[in-house]
Amino acid sequence: MRQEAEPGPRVVRTEQEWRSELSPAEYAVLREAATERPYTGEYTDTETEGVYECRACGAELFRSTTKFHSHCGWPSFYDPAASEAVLLREDNSLGMRRVEVLCAACHSHLGHVFEGEGYQTPTDQRYCINSIALRLSPTDGSDS
C-alpha cells in the first residue's frame, strides 16, 4: 500500500463551521476520527447502486461496484472511485499499526484500509469505512 505526501485540503472550513454543518455524531467521526459501532451504520448491508460521497464535503469517494460484504460490521470497498479520491495516513493509535483513510478533498476521517486478509477482491484490500462518513447518491432507476 503506497502512502504519498499529504497535500492540503481543497475544502477548508473552520472547526466552528464544521460543527455547524455536521451533526455531533458526524463531527465525531469525520473531524475527530471516532468510529461508529459495528453493524449500526446505514450502509453496512446496502446493495443500492450508486456513488458514495463524503458526508462532509460531497466529494465522490467510492462506487457501489466496488462494495462487498466483508461481514466486519462496516461498509467495505476494495477500491476508491479514483486514485486521488482518498488519502492514506499511517495510524499508530490504540496500540495498533493501521492505515487511516481520509477524504482527499476535505481531509475528513473515513475509516481504515487493510490488505492481505484473503478477501476475493481484485485488490486484496478492504476499505473499512464508517457509514456516517458517507452519503449514497443512488444511480437513477435503482431501488433504495
Side-chain angles (χ1 to χ4, degrees):
M1 212 171 315
R2 198 181 75 191
Q3 296 180 48
E4 298 181 11
E6 210 173 275
R10 294 185 304 275
V11 176
V12 179
R13 291 182 176 81
T14 66
E15 289 311 305
Q16 187 56 41
E17 289 171 326
W18 284 123
R19 283 184 189 278
S20 70
E21 293 176 20
L22 301 170
S23 73
E26 291 167 346
Y27 184 86
V29 170
L30 290 159
R31 305 309 302 169
E32 296 177 327
T35 300
E36 65 189 350
R37 291 190 336 269
Y39 302 102
T40 61
E42 172 180 12
Y43 302 123
T44 302
D45 295 318
T46 301
E47 295 187 11
T48 303
E49 291 184 23
V51 172
Y52 288 87
E53 301 168 344
C54 176
R55 193 174 294 251
C57 74
E60 181 178 336
L61 299 171
F62 300 95
R63 295 191 180 139
S64 61
T65 53
T66 65
K67 188 173 189 286
F68 69 100
H69 291 288
S70 67
H71 308 288
C72 70
W74 294 273
S76 297
F77 303 86
Y78 62 80
D79 206 22
S83 61
E84 67 277 353
V86 299
L87 293 174
L88 304 179
R89 176 191 292 165
E90 187 174 319
D91 176 4
N92 295 310
S93 65
L94 304 176
M96 296 181 272
R97 185 172 185 152
R98 301 179 293 174
V99 177
E100 181 183 18
V101 180
L102 305 167
C103 172
C106 69
H107 289 202
S108 287
H109 172 80
L110 305 172
H112 291 86
V113 61
F114 305 93
E115 65 182 1
E117 296 178 314
Y119 290 104
Q120 299 300 308
T121 61
T123 63
D124 196 26
Q125 294 179 324
R126 176 173 59 96
Y127 285 80
C128 183
I129 307 298
N130 291 285
S131 285
I132 202 166
L134 303 171
R135 180 168 285 116
L136 175 60
S137 178
T139 306
D140 290 341
S142 67
D143 295 329
S144 296

